[in-house]
Amino acid sequence: MSKMPGSVGTTRTEYVTFSEPLPLDSGAVLSPVTIAYETYGRLNREKSNAILICHALSGDAHAAGYHEGETRPGWWDGVIGPGKAFDTDRYFVICSNVIGGCKGSTGPSSINPATGRPYALEFPVITVRDMVRAQKRLIDHLGINCLAAVAGGSMGGMQALQWSVTYPEAVRKVIAIATTARSTAQQIAFNEVGRQAIMADPAWAGGAYPADRPPVQGLRLARMIGHITYLSDGAMREKFGRNLQGRSSVGYGFSTEFQVESYLHHQGETFTRRFDANSYLYITRALDYFDLAVDDSLAAGFAGAKASFLVVSVSSDWLYPPYQSEEIVNALAANGIPVHYCEIRSNYGHDGFLLEYGQLNYIIGTFLDHLLVRDVMETGIPTIVERASIHDASRIMIENGVNHLPVLSEKGDLAGIVTSWDIAKAVACDYGSLDEIMSRSVVTAAPDEPVAEVARRMEERSISALPVVDADRRVIGLISSDAISTLIGRCT
Ligand SMILES: CC(=O)SCCNC(=O)CCNC(=O)[C@H](O)C(C)(C)COP(=O)(O)OP(=O)(O)OC[C@H]1O[C@@H](n2cnc3c(N)ncnc32)[C@H](O)[C@@H]1OP(=O)(O)O
Ligand SMILES: N[C@@H](CCO)C(=O)O
């Protein structure tokens, strides 16, 4: 299929296998570990533009574009592509199938090297943290030290949150949608009913069913139950009301009569053609175990996180209700961690995170464009020491083609700044020492400040560049109005 506007075009799932054993939360190890993944866009030279997308319960690595011969795009195609929120003209977008899944990554239907047969229930129980550990292997394999963002909805949002606490140095932004920081009793309850439906199917056979005779009845029922929780009362009423399916009056029996019944049968049926029953057990168990709280405190759980966060809920989501997003926001705010919160207004229910593309594109796009100084600043900039001469300063400025030169004290922290305008003044007024011309009260920027705020400060003070300093006033870069306007020009 040729590339369409806004589409990443034809895509293909890649596979990588790691032979080094993957330690799991349960104490078991998994080896070898295969990860199925797709990428869209190009990784830049600095490897700083990578975004990891994490999928929900039944998703896979195919998040965007079209597989050869297929007409349905990837599951988050509405937000991934040129000009979309996850803009593949700017970002290198990665999506991988979770371990425990059945879409190419190692899971219970993979061959157990110890027996030569599918693992089935010999597959170790996994957690969301284990899924993230496996993703870290992939990210390392791709040579990426720090992700520009990790994003996902539902279980994908849990993985994104998990990244922020397990690998705080390896992720700059987290986008968590329609999710929670710890599974609730109600969520565990629905998962358990689904699992019981599968395990009660005689075809499940203790998990050792042959690939061509899976427990379809149990899996169908599990999905029907699950799918109800992905919708809302309003969405069901709007979609089906009390409409009958293919008949004009009720039949006083137990065959399928209502449209909503027919719809759920359809959803259950199609699910059995694309999903493995044992993977359903393992992944829902991972959801149950998910709890980022430490000593029952979510604030303590997020204490080490370093990313900035976007938390999004769906107004009609009763499976992962907005109050659970608000808990995440409060826990982050308690740690002084930058966080934005948005509630998508939608009647769709939980699956709104797969459908509300207009709102998602706007909210995510705005957040990703909400650049921080560290995203824009120039690093490795020239500096000069306090005792140097005006001649030294002008030579360094000419050699490096810069108009701003931070002046460092003997201790190495910021003592002042000298500009090409100061040099011109020095020549005109015949000043001899750097001390006479440099400004000592320097307006600075911090790496975690939003660029927009710094741009406002520069405008108010009529300054065209600010040194970026760390907590010890060590100069770590420079942000200039030129760099900001180049960026804005590129983004419009
Ligand atoms: C999140 C991840 O990481 S990936 C996992 C996401 N993917 C899924 O969950 C796949 C299954 N889920 C769905 O299809 C979800 O409903 C969504 C959210 C993805 C799509 O939502 P919508 O576009 O609103 O589709 P909707 O829920 O109406 O379902 C449409 C299907 O129901 C069928 N349908 C609609 N009404 C009826 C009915 N009365 N009787 C039988 N079937 C019906 C349609 O024919 C269509 O079938 P098809 O998907 O086989 O073509
Ligand atoms: N429809 C989604 C819902 C779970 O979040 C899925 O099947 O993965």
Side-chain angles (χ1 to χ4, degrees), residues 190 222-233 236 260 263-264 318-319 350:
F190 278 117
R223 184 60 171 184
M224 287 169 74
I225 297 158
H227 198 78
I228 296 168
T229 69
Y230 308 149
L231 307 178
S232 70
D233 175 42
M236 280 194 170
V260 67
Y263 169 80
L264 285 178
W318 58 276
L319 183 62
H350 178 62

Side-chain angles (χ1 to χ4, degrees), residues 210-424:
D212 58 350
R213 269 179 292 130
V216 285
Q217 285 187 25
L219 187 58
R220 189 188 300 137
L221 182 53
R223 184 60 171 184
M224 287 169 74
I225 297 158
H227 198 78
I228 296 168
T229 69
Y230 308 149
L231 307 178
S232 70
D233 175 42
M236 280 194 170
R237 201 167 49 232
E238 211 169 86
K239 242 177 167 82
F240 312 109
R242 293 187 47 79
N243 296 342
L244 298 175
Q245 181 80 22
R247 57 194 305 146
S248 53
S249 58
V250 297
Y252 300 101
F254 296 104
S255 60
T256 303
E257 295 187 4
F258 290 95
Q259 274 184 11
V260 67
E261 294 175 299
S262 165
Y263 169 80
L264 285 178
H265 284 291
H266 177 79
Q267 291 292 345
E269 184 56 38
T270 49
F271 191 63
T272 62
R273 284 187 241 124
R274 70 178 180 91
F275 214 76
D276 172 57
N278 282 337
S279 275
Y280 196 94
L281 303 182
Y282 278 89
I283 295 179
T284 54
R285 205 44 159 171
L287 293 175
D288 295 351
Y289 287 152
F290 185 65
D291 182 1
L292 288 181
V294 170
D295 296 333
D296 206 30
S297 160
L298 272 186
F302 281 113
K306 294 209 162 75
S308 55
F309 289 70
L310 170 66
V311 178
V312 183
S313 61
V314 180
S315 56
S316 54
D317 184 351
W318 58 276
L319 183 62
Y320 293 88
Y323 84 83
Q324 291 175 10
S325 290
E326 286 160 24
E327 273 182 5
I328 301 170
V329 172
N330 292 338
L332 293 167
N335 285 294
I337 295 168
V339 53
H340 296 259
Y341 173 59
C342 288
E343 184 182 275
I344 289 180
R345 300 256 169 92
S346 170
N347 206 22
Y348 281 126
H350 178 62
D351 266 351
F353 81 93
L354 294 165
L355 294 162
E356 291 287 2
Y357 287 142
Q359 294 183 66
L360 285 169
N361 271 310
Y362 178 75
I363 295 167
I364 298 169
T366 307
F367 176 69
L368 288 177
D369 277 349
H370 189 92
L371 289 171
L372 299 180
V373 168
R374 68 162 80 252
D375 299 322
V376 178
M377 71 184 190
E378 295 157 51
T379 53
I381 54 156
T383 54
I384 192 165
V385 288
E386 232 173 332
R387 58 181 185 288
S389 66
I390 291 180
H391 181 266
D392 286 340
S394 49
R395 185 180 43 76
I396 292 173
M397 289 166 97
I398 288 166
E399 278 174 1
N400 291 280
V402 296
N403 293 314
H404 297 79
L405 202 54
V407 183
L408 306 186
S409 74
E410 290 201 348
K411 282 190 296 174
D413 57 349
L414 182 67
I417 192 160
V418 62
T419 66
S420 46
W421 175 244
D422 296 326
I423 302 282

Side-chain angles (χ1 to χ4, degrees), residues 5 30-31 39 74 82 88 104 106 113 133 151 157 164 179 190 250 305 310-311 315 359 385 393 436 440 473:
L30 193 59
S31 171
T39 66
T88 48
T106 303
R133 283 191 182 112
S164 74
T179 194
F190 278 117
V250 297
L310 170 66
V311 178
S315 56
Q359 294 183 66
V385 288
E436 285 175 286
R440 283 200 174 268
R473 275 187 80 75

Side-chain angles (χ1 to χ4, degrees), residues 56-124:
L57 194 162
S58 72
D60 52 30
H62 180 36
Y66 295 82
H67 280 180
E68 201 70 60
E70 289 186 4
T71 50
R72 274 195 193 195
W75 59 268
W76 231 10
D77 190 76
V79 286
I80 303 170
K84 297 178 186 171
F86 298 106
D87 187 347
T88 48
D89 287 338
R90 297 172 62 186
Y91 297 109
F92 178 64
V93 177
I94 308 158
C95 181
S96 65
N97 183 216
V98 294
I99 56 164
C102 52
K103 303 294 179 72
S105 291
T106 303
S109 54
S110 307
I111 297 299
N112 179 353
T115 63
R117 295 189 307 273
Y119 279 101
L121 292 204
E122 282 166 6
F123 193 75

